[in-house]
Amino acid sequence: ELVRTIHNAPLFEKPPIGNNPFKPIESEKLQDDSKLLDTLLASILSNQGTDSFAWSSTIIDELNISSMLFKISVNKLVQMGFVSWSLGHKAVSATDKGLMYAFENKIVS
């Protein structure tokens, strides 16, 4: 036991630290959520280009996400004022606020 301690070679290694069971789940999801929203906003801006909108179906296919996840995420972007929906939710367009956010945060160049 003394030799193992001196050489820092324990008989049993401690497992890696896992998720904190006391950490609220919502805060963990928000971090992942912001990555998805940033990716979605970048895709909208990229597909929109200089046009007035981008097709929702094109973005869903490009990001390989479900239409339900797309709807939920776009609704969050709408609430934030970054995008708007038109043509019965078949087209989505970035607002000036969304464009400025994406540019300032280096989501698009």
Side-chain angles (χ1 to χ4, degrees):
E1 184 72 29
L2 178 61
V3 173
R4 286 189 175 281
T5 304
I6 292 171
H7 293 287
N8 196 20
L11 183 59
F12 301 105
E13 291 189 28
K14 293 180 184 178
I17 297 175
N19 293 335
N20 182 349
F22 302 106
K23 188 174 183 180
I25 294 173
E26 293 78 21
S27 64
E28 290 180 12
K29 286 188 176 181
L30 285 178
Q31 293 171 353
D32 294 338
D33 200 33
S34 66
K35 291 176 190 175
L36 173 62
L37 295 178
D38 286 351
T39 303
L40 182 57
L41 182 59
S43 179
I44 291 168
L45 286 165
S46 173
N47 282 286
Q48 182 176 337
T50 57
D51 295 334
S52 57
F53 64 87
W55 293 110
S56 299
S57 58
T58 302
I59 296 166
I60 290 169
D61 291 341
E62 180 180 298
L63 297 178
N64 195 24
I65 59 175
S66 70
S67 58
M68 187 63 66
L69 180 59
F70 176 79
K71 281 182 169 182
I72 291 167
S73 301
V74 170
N75 277 325
K76 289 179 183 180
L77 289 173
V78 168
Q79 290 174 355
M80 294 164 58
F82 290 168
V83 300
S84 63
W85 282 45
S86 58
L87 300 174
H89 298 307
K90 293 185 183 207
V92 63
S93 59
T95 62
D96 290 339
K97 182 178 177 182
L99 176 62
M100 293 307 297
Y101 168 83
F103 185 74
E104 289 170 357
N105 291 287
K106 297 182 171 76
I107 297 170
V108 294
S109 55

